[in-house]
Amino acid sequence: MRTYHCFWLLFWAGQPHQSFLTPLSKRTSGFPEKEKVLVLSGNSRRDLHRSKRSWMWNQFFLLEEYTGTDYQYVGKLHSDQDKGDGSLKYILSGDGAGDLFIINENTGDIQATKRLDREEKPVYILRAQAINRRTGRPVEPESEFIIKIHDINDNEPMFTKDVYNASIPEMSDVGTFVVQVTATDADDPTYGNSAKVVYSILQGQPYFSVESETGIIKTALLNMDRENREQYQVVIQAKDMGGQMGGLSGTTTVNITLTDVNDNPPRFPQSTYQFRAPESTPPDSPVGRIKANDADVDENAEIEYSITEGDGYDMFGITTDKDTQEGIITVKKALDFENKNLYILKVEATNTHVDPQFLYLGPFKDSATVRIQVEDVDEPPVFSRPAYIMEVKEDVPINSVIGTVTAQDPDAAKNPVKYSVDRHTDMDRVFNINSGNGSIFTSKPLDRETLLWHNITVIAAEINNPKQSSRVPVFIKVLDVNDNAPEFAMFYETFVCENAKAEQLIQTLSAVDKDDSYSGHQFSFSLAPEAASSSNFTLQDNRDNTAGIFTRKTRYNRHEMSTYFLPVVISDNDYPIQSSTETVTIRVCACDHRGKMLSCNAEALIHPTGLSTGALIAILLCIIILLVTVVLFTALRRQRKKEPLIISKEDIRDNIVSYNDEGGGEEDTQAFDIGTLRNPEAIDDNKLRRDIVPETLFMPRRTATARDNTDVRDFINQRLKENDTDPTAPPYDSLATYAYEGNGSVAESLSSLGSVTTDGDQDYDYLSDWGPRFKKLADMYGAMDSDKDS
């Protein structure tokens, strides 16, 4: 037999959005309440064994944002097993159990401990169970129930954007869509009117309106002009509770910009403009700027300028500056004050982008009058032609006039003009010009064959103001005259075979002429009169500007005559006739039976014993080697050491030794040792000069010096003083070498230089008393005295 346990849930019938609470012991609420009880029933005899459980879903309702001081009562959990003796214990589990929701384990009363927010969590699922306190076993199956949170109006509408930006064209019709704003309410849209939002406009009337249900903003005023006002700020309110009193609200700002349309034509600020332009203004140069004002912007303000009327229509042009939208008036042709000094133009300004929708506002263009005054300037002379072409024959005599250029001052003053040739274009000074009348004449002979065209530049300048000048090119063509004789087209050197036959062609001749011939050149060929009768060859004129040389005899002998020189006369048919004599060299050669040349060297047969090429090269090498040897010998001889002044000890003749070494100044420490002069006893016999190559390896014997250094010091000081006072002394540092002879010489000075200054005769007999060393000297001077006596 099976036992079934049933769950009974008792409900209190009342309003669907309210919940009446049963308080806990010792707690009361301020509202009349009826108990909401969840009843648990079952068979106590079989307990929980093999019981068939059936679940009954039900739910509790609570209002969110409860503000009371006591806990909010949810409901009561009761089991039919509960006898009221406290043997059962009620347990609650699930969402928020123990924290957000608590249960009285004895009575089964459920309460909420905190404020609930439906927007955070609208539904809570919990599970309830009754267990035996002693055994801890459940006496009823676990029951699950739901707690739903009823919504209240606690959230204001929120717009999706804090600030909206929108734009519409100006001059839009009423009701033109601008932008749609959207606000959302976090409250429950299915419970009451808490989430029902209504839109209204707080700021922006009467220009714009908003639909209360959709939030669509539209224009409410006709012909709103951007030029009057461009920016609008609209404030929109969204209110819940269907807009009723007590509803919550939120606001947003909508920035609306009117975009430009071409609804304004261009307008000139003045009707007449005046400009001045010097007559020297070059073409394409600007004269002035004008501007038409357009209240529109961007492409709607783009203007195109044009000249529609006026006597300067072909003299001036106008373009548009795309950056400033100004009209730039420019010169199209050269101005001339003397011809016309005032131009009147009509300039029109037109919009380039016209909107047909606003054509009713009038023509989108405007016009103004422009007066341009041409100012007179001092202009340079003007030539009668932009260029001159002249022709002259190459044989004209010097100082012949070949043509004339003409220039005039275009100003009213008509200043006189002088002419000159730009020498940079006529470096050779072939031409000259008369400075007064502009006639060009030759100053050197012309030669068409050297230069056919002469391109010169003539300068015309005002005499009163030479800076005002102009130039013109003059092209001079040199015409040809027959002044060049024809000549061979090339140098002709041919050969004739020794075994040649008579009337055999050996060479064909052709000629050229540097001169031009309008009808074509016609040359005639003939032998020179001195060779016509005695020549071994004949010449035949082919009448086609060529000629052939033929043999006159049979067989030639190169040993008798190895080379023939044949003079040929070439004439042209122009006037005056020009002719020249050219020479053809014909060599006699040995040939084979087919006429092929074998050898033309007659000297090799006449002088068979001549030197070969190898011998000539050997002789040339010997000559070169001999020349190199002579050059080396001369160089070595120059570097030979000089012989000592006294070759033999017995040669005691006086000698003059030149010292031409130049000192190096105070910084020179290589030429000499200053310590030697300060201490003559410290002279090193083996020490040589380091700055020059020694002239001899024989060291001079040093003369014994006095012990007293004062003598040397006085000697040097004396010579130093003499050099300082000598006006002929060189103006640079030099080394003066003084040989010190010592003191107390018996022979005194042996020099004979001073003897020439005495008037009386010298007696050299005392030399014989000096000993054998001076014997040769005594004999020599004694012999000289004997010669004088005789």
Side-chain angles (χ1 to χ4, degrees):
M1 180 177 178
R2 293 184 178 177
T3 302
Y4 296 93
H5 293 272
C6 303
F7 294 97
W8 296 91
L9 184 62
L10 302 179
F11 295 99
W12 170 79
Q15 295 297 331
H17 61 276
Q18 293 180 349
S19 175
F20 292 93
L21 309 175
T22 300
L24 291 174
S25 59
K26 298 183 180 179
R27 291 198 177 182
T28 59
S29 63
F31 300 94
E33 299 172 350
K34 287 189 178 180
E35 208 173 27
K36 187 186 331 180
V37 183
L38 180 62
V39 179
L40 305 175
S41 65
N43 192 336
S44 60
R45 292 176 295 177
R46 296 298 303 268
D47 294 332
L48 297 175
H49 299 287
R50 299 182 62 84
S51 62
K52 181 179 180 182
R53 299 182 179 86
S54 62
W55 295 91
M56 296 181 62
W57 292 89
N58 220 318
Q59 56 189 2
F60 292 111
F61 295 92
L62 289 181
L63 289 176
E64 65 171 337
E65 302 295 341
Y66 173 70
T67 59
T69 58
D70 297 331
Y71 291 158
Q72 187 176 7
Y73 184 77
V74 178
K76 184 178 181 66
L77 195 65
H78 182 72
S79 174
D80 57 359
Q81 299 283 335
D82 189 1
K83 304 301 182 179
D85 56 0
S87 61
L88 297 182
K89 178 181 178 181
Y90 295 96
I91 299 174
L92 188 65
S93 63
D95 295 339
D99 179 23
L100 185 59
F101 298 102
I102 61 174
I103 187 170
N104 189 318
E105 61 183 15
N106 295 321
T107 62
D109 292 328
I110 303 173
Q111 291 178 314
T113 62
K114 297 180 181 179
R115 296 175 60 181
L116 302 178
D117 189 355
R118 190 201 66 84
E119 286 72 35
E120 292 182 1
K121 190 173 180 65
V123 176
Y124 295 88
I125 301 175
L126 294 97
R127 291 176 297 277
Q129 193 174 31
I131 64 174
N132 191 295
R133 285 182 182 273
R134 289 180 300 163
T135 63
R137 293 181 179 182
V139 297
E140 296 289 347
E142 189 177 56
S143 169
E144 184 177 272
F145 60 95
I146 298 174
I147 300 177
K148 284 189 175 182
I149 309 301
H150 271 179
D151 183 47
I152 65 172
N153 189 20
D154 59 342
N155 291 280
E156 70 274 6
M158 300 292 293
F159 284 94
T160 56
K161 296 180 181 179
D162 293 334
V163 177
Y164 288 82
N165 293 301
S167 62
I168 58 169
E170 62 174 333
M171 310 297 291
S172 296
D173 295 333
V174 175
T176 301
F177 173 83
V178 179
V179 69
Q180 183 177 11
V181 296
T182 303
T184 59
D185 196 315
D187 294 326
D188 189 359
T190 63
Y191 186 76
N193 294 327
S194 298
K196 185 178 181 181
V197 178
V198 174
Y199 300 95
S200 62
I201 185 168
L202 300 182
Q203 176 183 323
Q205 294 176 332
Y207 307 103
F208 300 96
S209 63
V210 63
E211 292 184 357
S212 61
E213 299 292 335
T214 61
I216 296 176
I217 302 175
K218 298 180 180 180
T219 58
L221 190 64
L222 184 65
N223 295 334
M224 287 189 292
D225 193 358
R226 184 200 66 84
E227 286 73 32
N228 293 331
R229 182 177 177 182
E230 183 176 5
Q231 298 286 340
Y232 293 87
Q233 190 175 73
V234 179
V235 177
I236 302 296
Q237 182 190 65
K239 191 174 183 180
D240 59 11
M241 298 298 292
Q244 298 176 6
M245 184 71 68
L248 303 178
S249 64
T251 60
T252 187
T253 301
V254 182
N255 295 322
I256 302 174
T257 303
L258 297 184
T259 58
D260 186 57
V261 298
N262 192 8
D263 59 338
N264 293 280
R267 290 289 181 263
F268 283 105
Q270 56 192 71
S271 60
T272 304
Y273 294 85
Q274 295 207 13
F275 299 102
R276 293 181 177 271
E279 62 175 336
S280 60
T281 304
D284 298 329
S285 298
V287 174
R289 290 172 175 254
I290 61 176
K291 183 177 182 180
N293 298 324
D294 193 325
D296 297 322
V297 294
D298 299 332
E299 68 174 14
N300 297 319
E302 293 182 0
I303 301 174
E304 187 70 27
Y305 295 90
S306 61
I307 298 175
T308 57
E309 298 178 11
D311 52 3
Y313 183 82
D314 58 342
M315 297 296 295
F316 298 92
I318 188 169
T319 58
T320 302
D321 188 335
K322 299 300 182 181
D323 296 329
T324 62
Q325 295 300 317
E326 292 179 315
I328 306 174
I329 301 175
T330 58
V331 177
K332 293 173 61 176
K333 296 181 180 180
L335 304 176
D336 190 355
F337 173 83
E338 287 72 25
N339 291 335
K340 188 175 181 61
N341 58 13
L342 179 62
Y343 294 90
I344 299 177
L345 310 174
K346 184 179 180 180
V347 178
E348 187 174 79
T350 307
N351 277 139
T352 56
H353 299 86
V354 178
D355 192 343
Q357 182 181 354
F358 303 101
L359 288 177
Y360 69 91
L361 296 177
F364 284 80
K365 60 183 178 180
D366 194 16
S367 60
T369 302
V370 178
R371 299 169 59 90
I372 301 176
Q373 183 73 42
V374 180
E375 297 178 340
D376 187 25
V377 296
D378 190 4
E379 299 177 275
V382 178
F383 284 94
S384 59
R385 301 179 189 175
Y388 292 85
I389 299 178
M390 301 178 182
E391 294 181 349
V392 59
K393 290 186 176 181
E394 61 178 327
D395 62 343
V396 297
I398 297 176
N399 296 327
S400 298
V401 177
I402 61 175
T404 302
V405 297
T406 304
Q408 291 183 350
D409 183 11
D411 298 324
K414 300 298 180 183
N415 294 320
V417 177
K418 63 177 181 179
Y419 303 91
S420 62
V421 176
D422 185 356
R423 291 306 173 188
H424 292 91
T425 61
D426 186 23
M427 301 295 290
D428 296 331
R429 296 181 177 270
V430 179
F431 301 95
N432 212 333
I433 190 170
N434 189 308
S435 62
N437 57 21
S439 60
I440 301 174
F441 56 90
T442 60
S443 57
K444 287 185 179 180
L446 303 176
D447 186 6
R448 187 203 67 86
E449 289 72 31
T450 302
L451 188 60
L452 176 62
W453 284 93
H454 294 267
N455 302 327
I456 66 174
T457 300
V458 175
I459 303 173
E462 295 181 5
I463 296 179
N464 298 334
N465 187 9
K467 292 183 179 180
Q468 293 295 335
S469 62
S470 57
R471 297 166 175 263
V472 68
V474 179
F475 307 102
I476 302 174
K477 183 179 181 181
V478 180
L479 302 179
D480 184 48
V481 296
N482 192 26
D483 59 345
N484 291 279
E487 56 187 15
F488 280 153
M490 57 180 293
F491 175 73
Y492 289 103
E493 182 178 4
T494 185
F495 71 96
V496 61
C497 295
E498 288 184 309
N499 55 358
K501 298 179 181 180
E503 301 299 325
Q504 180 179 341
L505 177 64
I506 63 174
Q507 181 66 48
T508 299
L509 307 178
S510 63
V512 294
D513 195 335
K514 296 180 180 179
D515 295 323
D516 283 338
S517 178
Y518 299 103
S519 60
H521 290 293
Q522 293 183 5
F523 302 126
S524 59
F525 300 85
S526 62
L527 292 177
E530 63 272 14
S533 58
S534 61
S535 176
N536 294 307
F537 304 91
T538 60
L539 182 69
Q540 178 180 340
D541 192 347
N542 297 328
R543 303 298 180 182
D544 59 354
N545 293 336
T546 64
I549 299 177
F550 296 85
T551 58
R552 176 175 285 184
K553 63 179 183 177
T554 304
R555 301 191 65 82
Y556 292 84
N557 190 342
R558 56 178 169 165
H559 301 295
E560 294 179 359
M561 179 65 71
S562 61
T563 304
Y564 292 92
F565 298 99
L566 186 65
V568 178
V569 178
I570 310 172
S571 302
D572 56 22
N573 64 343
D574 293 332
Y575 180 84
I577 296 176
Q578 300 288 340
S579 63
S580 65
T581 301
E582 303 287 332
T583 301
V584 180
T585 302
I586 305 173
R587 301 181 66 186
V588 181
C589 302
C591 303
D592 56 11
H593 65 282
R594 292 178 296 180
K596 184 177 180 181
M597 181 180 64
L598 297 179
S599 175
C600 296
N601 189 0
E603 290 77 3
L605 299 175
I606 299 174
H607 306 287
T609 59
L611 295 176
S612 64
T613 303
L616 292 175
I617 294 174
I619 293 173
L620 181 60
L621 290 176
C622 291
I623 293 174
I624 293 174
I625 292 172
L626 182 60
L627 291 175
V628 172
T629 303
V630 171
V631 171
L632 291 176
F633 179 77
T634 304
L636 292 175
R637 187 176 181 84
R638 290 183 177 180
Q639 294 182 1
R640 288 178 58 189
K641 299 181 178 63
K642 296 182 179 179
E643 294 294 337
L645 296 176
I646 302 177
I647 300 176
S648 175
K649 293 182 180 180
E650 297 181 357
D651 190 357
I652 57 174
R653 292 174 296 178
D654 291 341
N655 293 279
I656 300 175
V657 181
S658 300
Y659 300 94
N660 56 0
D661 293 338
E662 179 179 338
E666 295 178 358
E667 299 297 331
D668 185 4
T669 59
Q670 302 293 330
F672 64 93
D673 187 2
I674 194 64
T676 303
L677 294 178
R678 296 176 179 173
N679 187 10
E681 293 181 350
I683 297 177
D684 187 2
D685 295 340
N686 298 324
K687 188 174 182 180
L688 300 177
R689 288 187 59 170
R690 291 172 289 177
D691 58 335
I692 61 173
V693 179
E695 296 181 354
T696 178
L697 296 178
F698 298 99
M699 299 301 297
R701 184 173 60 186
R702 188 180 65 184
T703 306
T705 58
R707 291 289 181 179
D708 190 2
N709 289 338
T710 305
D711 187 21
V712 176
R713 188 182 302 108
D714 295 341
F715 175 77
I716 293 177
N717 291 335
Q718 181 181 355
R719 293 295 182 267
L720 181 60
K721 183 176 180 181
E722 292 176 357
N723 277 276
D724 291 341
T725 57
D726 186 4
T728 61
Y732 48 80
D733 293 344
S734 62
L735 176 64
T737 304
Y738 305 103
Y740 182 70
E741 297 182 357
N743 296 326
S745 175
V746 178
E748 296 180 354
S749 176
L750 300 179
S751 176
S752 61
L753 295 176
S755 61
V756 297
T757 60
T758 59
D759 296 336
D761 296 333
Q762 297 288 334
D763 185 7
Y764 299 102
D765 293 340
Y766 59 87
L767 296 176
S768 301
D769 300 335
W770 287 2
R773 290 191 177 188
F774 298 93
K775 182 178 182 301
K776 187 173 183 179
L777 186 60
D779 294 341
M780 182 174 59
Y781 280 93
M784 291 176 62
D785 293 338
S786 300
D787 294 337
K788 289 181 181 179
D789 295 338
S790 61

